[in-house]
């Protein structure tokens, strides 16, 4: 039951942090949420990963649609050698998700107490 408020809080803090600060603020947002609302380490990692993955995927999709897939097509041809704008969005969302997941995992390890 703690996962949904955490998920929403990570998405909101990551979006607001991304508007005013650098891209890696998603890790700070996931870290702070993991410290404030403790969960086991695996759930903290997955919560941060899924929240930012879906946020960045949605943001990439909306930006890509607004410019008619021009930039994503060119970047995917340059980086991946394949004309696939969806794949470049998924890769960027994976980078953000892993960053936030590791931030959430760090916050969870700081707070989580292992039961015997």
């Amino acid at each position: 039951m703690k996962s949904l408020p955490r998920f929403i809080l990570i998405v909101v803090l990551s979006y607001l942090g991304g508007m005013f600060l650098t891209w890696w603020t998603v890790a700070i947002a996931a870290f702070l949420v993991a410290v404030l609302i403790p969960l086991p380490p695996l759930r903290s990692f997955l919560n941060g990963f899924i929240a930012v993955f879906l946020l960045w995927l949605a943001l990439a999709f909306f930006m890509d649609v607004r410019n008619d897939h021009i930039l994503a097509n060119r970047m995917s041809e340059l980086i991946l050698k394949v004309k696939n704008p969806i794949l470049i969005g998924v890769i960027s969302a994976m980078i953000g998700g892993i960053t936030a997941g590791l931030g959430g995992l760090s916050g969870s390890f700081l707070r989580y107490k292992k039961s015997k």
Side-chain angles (χ1 to χ4, degrees), residues 11-50:
V11 168
V12 169
L13 289 176
S14 297
Y15 182 75
L16 291 176
M19 286 180 61
F20 301 110
L21 301 170
T22 61
W23 68 271
W24 50 266
T25 56
V26 296
I28 296 171
F31 177 83
L32 290 175
V33 171
V35 167
L36 293 175
I37 308 171
L39 282 177
L42 179 63
R43 286 185 56 197
S44 283
F45 177 82
L46 290 176
N47 211 320
F49 177 84
I50 293 170

Side-chain angles (χ1 to χ4, degrees), residues 38-95:
L39 282 177
L42 179 63
R43 286 185 56 197
S44 283
F45 177 82
L46 290 176
N47 211 320
F49 177 84
I50 293 170
V52 174
F53 180 83
L54 293 177
L55 173 68
W56 278 22
L57 191 63
L59 289 174
F61 174 74
F62 289 126
M63 285 185 218
D64 193 36
V65 167
R66 283 192 347 206
N67 70 11
D68 201 29
H69 312 291
I70 294 171
L71 182 62
N73 278 329
R74 289 184 182 172
M75 292 308 292
S76 66
E77 284 178 4
L78 181 68
I79 295 171
L80 305 172
K81 307 295 187 218
V82 176
K83 190 174 184 179
N84 190 350
I86 296 170
L87 189 58
I88 200 81
V90 169
I91 289 173
S92 66
M94 286 288 281
I95 292 170

